[in-house]
Amino acid sequence: MAKRENISVSFTPQQAEFVAECVASGRYQSMSEVVRDGLRLLEHHQEERKAQIERARALVQEGADQLDRGEVVDSQTFFNEWDAELDALEARQRRKAE
């Protein structure tokens, strides 16, 4: 078993009731287990958020690089291509639904 460190934490009455209900449900053995599970979820959420930000940064950099190379289209061409892609997607979805 991993080493544990005792930390005092204060909860609102609603949070304390929720933690107690989680333990009473039998899913958790103790309030500490509930809190550790919540912390694992928070850690996972933050890792996912960090990954999303990194993907967005990479896409922005890709766009900036394309601009630097002169790989751009005017807005009318962009929206015409976008509309065509959306029309094709809608047609595929309609065919699947039939």
Side-chain angles (χ1 to χ4, degrees):
M1 180 187 240
K3 182 181 177 210
R4 304 280 189 226
E5 184 174 332
N6 289 326
I7 298 174
S8 176
V9 179
S10 297
F11 295 112
T12 65
Q14 294 83 5
Q15 291 168 329
E17 182 179 343
F18 175 73
V19 172
E21 287 172 3
C22 289
V23 174
S25 75
R27 181 164 181 223
Y28 297 94
Q29 297 276 327
S30 68
M31 291 184 167
S32 292
E33 277 190 16
V34 175
V35 173
R36 284 193 299 270
D37 197 30
L39 288 172
R40 281 189 291 273
L41 289 171
L42 177 60
E43 185 177 26
H44 176 73
H45 174 74
Q46 288 182 345
E47 288 170 358
E48 286 290 317
R49 181 77 172 133
K50 182 179 177 183
Q52 290 173 345
I53 290 169
E54 290 302 317
R55 284 191 296 273
R57 285 184 176 142
L59 289 171
V60 168
Q61 185 60 55
E62 180 182 340
D65 292 345
Q66 288 172 338
L67 282 172
D68 290 344
R69 292 189 303 266
E71 299 172 359
V72 296
V73 295
D74 63 90
S75 62
Q76 189 60 47
T77 301
F78 171 80
F79 285 111
N80 287 341
E81 290 175 0
W82 192 12
D83 285 340
E85 288 179 26
L86 289 175
D87 290 343
L89 177 62
E90 289 173 353
R92 283 193 303 271
Q93 289 176 337
R94 279 194 302 273
R95 284 193 299 271
K96 284 182 183 179
E98 293 174 348

